[in-house]
Amino acid sequence: MNPWIAIGALGVVSIGIPLGMMAVSALLRPSVPEQGKSAIYESGEIPTGTARLQFNIQYYMVALLFVIFDIETVLIFPWTVIYRSALEQGASLTEVLLPMLVFIGVLVVGLVWAWRNGAVEWVKSPLAESRKTERQT
């Protein structure tokens, strides 16, 4: 039997079962239209205002930096696993260590650039700024 037939059958079954369950559920469930079902539920509280809030850009900058350095960890881990075996198989220390040092160097340059541009500095609230000026006077 061709292995692609098995993969295709698995794909059909994996899509067919959930669709079949939703179809049977739609046919069997009771339909009781009620005004309360269409109301917005916010943890038992009556919603006020709009749901569109403008977040501080610093949240996104910190998230992006986290993703970058998280990926760095994912890329460094396999290197650390093969480091010793590469040295045992005759690779020189420079051949093994130099590419990783260049990689880390590029990341450090990026971190310094982000730091200088204020991407890692948190914005102070007006209350914190006023307390700071009060202490200085």
Side-chain angles (χ1 to χ4, degrees):
M1 183 165 114
N2 190 348
W4 289 106
I5 294 174
I7 292 172
L10 180 66
V12 168
V13 169
S14 66
I15 291 173
I17 288 177
L19 289 177
M21 292 172 125
M22 288 190 291
V24 169
S25 173
L27 292 173
L28 297 179
R29 73 174 176 234
S31 177
V32 182
E34 192 177 309
Q35 185 179 7
K37 288 183 179 181
S38 63
I40 299 171
Y41 179 76
E42 188 67 36
S43 302
E45 297 292 324
I46 298 172
T48 58
T50 179
R52 305 288 295 178
L53 297 176
Q54 192 170 15
F55 287 101
N56 188 347
I57 190 70
Q58 287 300 124
Y59 290 116
Y60 300 110
M61 296 304 294
V62 169
L64 286 173
L65 288 171
F66 172 77
V67 167
I68 289 169
F69 288 103
D70 192 42
I71 291 172
E72 169 200 1
T73 305
V74 169
L75 294 175
I76 288 177
F77 181 73
W79 175 81
T80 59
V81 171
I82 65 168
Y83 174 74
R84 182 173 299 202
S85 64
L87 288 176
E88 289 172 354
Q89 292 178 3
S92 70
L93 185 63
T94 306
E95 289 174 340
V96 175
L97 197 57
L98 188 63
M100 188 50 60
L101 289 177
V102 169
F103 175 69
I104 292 174
V106 168
L107 287 171
V108 168
V109 167
L111 179 62
V112 168
W113 178 84
W115 201 309
R116 284 190 161 190
N117 286 324
V120 294
E121 293 178 15
W122 204 254
V123 177
K124 302 254 191 267
S125 69
L127 179 62
E129 288 294 323
S130 67
R131 287 183 182 168
K132 182 179 176 183
T133 56
E134 287 174 6
R135 281 184 284 187
Q136 290 176 351
T137 57

